[in-house]
Amino acid sequence: SEGDDVLARWSDGLLYLGNVKRVDGVKQCCLVRFEDNSEFWVLRKDIHSEEVCCICDAPPLKEPLINCLKCRHYHPECHTPTIEPEADSDSWICRQCVFAVATKSQRGGALKRGRFARLMQFMKLRLPYQLSSLDWDPQHLTNQQQCYCYCAGPGWNLKMLQCGSCGQWFHEACTQCLTKPLLYGDFYQFQCSVCTKGPETIQRLPMTVDLAHLVLYHLSLCCKRKYFDFDHEILSFTNENWDSLLLGGLSDTPRQDRCHNLLNALNSHKDFVSGKEIKKKKCLFGLQVRTETKSIN
């Protein structure tokens, strides 16, 4: 209802506190004002507030509601996974709250150790929706239901991984397999916990000229510019983030050789444009065409 304080799941997989300003019953969405005073329409499925079953919005009726220690109520059969009869309502924590705690302010994925990490891993073995019921675009990037990841939250966020088996997209914040934060356009092979029936698997794809692609793509999205100075921006970013780039065989490249190799890639491949080609400084470089290079199967 209007005026309710709610938690709204955003496209990065995280929950944010807001207040409902308007309700659209036809489109099943609400206009939510967040703590930074920004306002956005959020689908009803991504909002959590009422003192009824959080999944079906129904009261107890014949099936009693189980109370989550941190938030609301659930019918045992509505929750994924099903709430066991012996669950203690004084200590049981729901899927939403486990994800909220395990993903809060995490760079490089969710918690990997501790109680909430173990609970999250168990709950990730099943999706809270039917993957086969989603209607995808031809590129299999977005679906009409705006339902992604283990959390069933919205997308499509640039820092997402696509499972090579089922094709679904997963938020960086909800994964537990990363050792470093994702860069925009990163190159990975990934399998989700549903497909592996256990921990996720991930492998960085080998990179050669792709290092230059990745650095320029990341900088262009972060800085919202096309051209970057080689010494002060491209090479500087590469050296500062060398370990985070997880370069495999390239990781042993001596620092003094990185400049030559990177500059040679930028000058010799048609995917890049230099400043001298557009009557700018020759030390400037950009992508000829910026296309999405997300992790794929």
Side-chain angles (χ1 to χ4, degrees), residues 108-120:
L111 293 175
K112 299 169 180 62
R113 293 187 297 274
R115 180 194 178 197
F116 281 92
R118 293 190 296 272
L119 286 172
M120 186 181 193

Side-chain angles (χ1 to χ4, degrees), residues 162-167 190-192 296-297:
Q162 186 182 31
C163 176
S165 295
C166 67
F190 169 77
Q191 278 194 306
C192 70
I296 56 176
N297 47 27

Side-chain angles (χ1 to χ4, degrees), residues 227 273-284:
Y227 297 102
V273 58
S274 67
K276 64 182 180 181
E277 296 175 34
I278 53 170
K279 297 182 180 179
K280 292 181 180 287
K281 295 179 181 179
K282 65 179 182 180
C283 61
L284 296 179

Side-chain angles (χ1 to χ4, degrees), residues 1-229:
S1 302
E2 292 183 10
D4 282 355
D5 290 326
V6 297
L7 286 173
R9 189 171 295 282
W10 198 240
S11 59
D12 58 4
L14 302 180
L15 291 169
Y16 295 89
L17 181 64
N19 183 269
V20 176
K21 310 308 292 183
R22 290 172 57 191
V23 177
D24 188 327
V26 176
K27 295 183 178 180
Q28 288 291 296
C29 59
C30 301
L31 181 65
V32 178
R33 177 178 294 170
F34 294 95
E35 292 180 297
D36 62 357
N37 288 325
S38 63
E39 294 186 354
F40 293 94
W41 286 98
V42 182
L43 291 175
R44 176 64 188 82
K45 74 177 183 67
D46 297 318
I47 295 177
H48 312 282
S49 63
E50 288 82 6
E51 296 286 341
V52 292
C53 176
C54 288
I55 306 299
C56 69
D57 291 331
L61 299 177
K62 295 181 180 180
E63 189 177 24
L65 293 173
I66 302 297
N67 186 46
C68 169
L69 180 65
K70 292 181 174 290
C71 69
R72 307 299 182 187
H73 307 284
Y74 292 82
H75 291 125
E77 292 298 325
C78 288
H79 189 268
T80 304
T82 301
I83 304 171
E84 299 296 332
E86 59 270 19
D88 184 358
S89 59
D90 292 328
S91 61
W92 180 78
I93 302 175
C94 74
R95 183 187 188 99
Q96 295 285 353
C97 290
V98 167
F99 273 66
V101 172
T103 60
K104 187 176 182 180
S105 301
Q106 293 299 311
R107 297 182 69 248
L111 293 175
K112 299 169 180 62
R113 293 187 297 274
R115 180 194 178 197
F116 281 92
R118 293 190 296 272
L119 286 172
M120 186 181 193
Q121 178 58 66
F122 172 70
M123 291 181 176
K124 283 162 59 173
L125 296 177
R126 286 185 57 195
L127 297 176
Y129 54 89
Q130 291 295 321
L131 189 59
S132 59
S133 67
L134 302 181
D135 300 307
W136 293 89
D137 67 5
Q139 291 77 36
H140 205 86
L141 294 178
T142 62
N143 59 69
Q144 293 182 10
Q145 292 80 6
Q146 283 292 295
C147 189
Y148 303 88
C149 193
Y150 306 109
C151 63
W156 190 78
N157 185 274
L158 285 169
K159 287 195 173 184
M160 296 181 79
L161 291 163
Q162 186 182 31
C163 176
S165 295
C166 67
Q168 178 58 295
W169 291 88
F170 295 84
H171 302 113
E172 173 191 19
C174 295
T175 62
Q176 294 173 287
C177 57
L178 293 168
T179 58
K180 301 285 185 180
L182 281 178
L183 297 177
Y184 292 116
D186 230 333
F187 303 82
Y188 286 97
Q189 285 182 326
F190 169 77
Q191 278 194 306
C192 70
S193 288
V194 178
C195 293
T196 65
K197 297 180 172 57
E200 300 148 340
T201 62
I202 193 165
Q203 181 179 358
R204 183 62 173 281
L205 297 178
M207 291 205 298
T208 52
V209 69
D210 294 328
L211 171 59
H213 276 111
L214 178 58
V215 171
L216 277 175
Y217 185 84
H218 183 82
L219 288 173
S220 67
L221 286 181
C222 289
C223 304
K224 302 190 184 305
R225 288 190 284 121
K226 181 172 182 179
Y227 297 102
F228 298 90
D229 182 89

Side-chain angles (χ1 to χ4, degrees), residues 209 212 216 230 234 259-277 281-286:
V209 69
L216 277 175
F230 179 77
I234 298 173
C259 175
H260 171 76
N261 294 348
L262 196 55
L263 192 59
N264 182 59
L266 291 170
N267 280 315
S268 60
H269 287 267
K270 62 180 181 180
D271 293 339
F272 309 110
V273 58
S274 67
K276 64 182 180 181
E277 296 175 34
K281 295 179 181 179
K282 65 179 182 180
C283 61
L284 296 179
F285 292 91

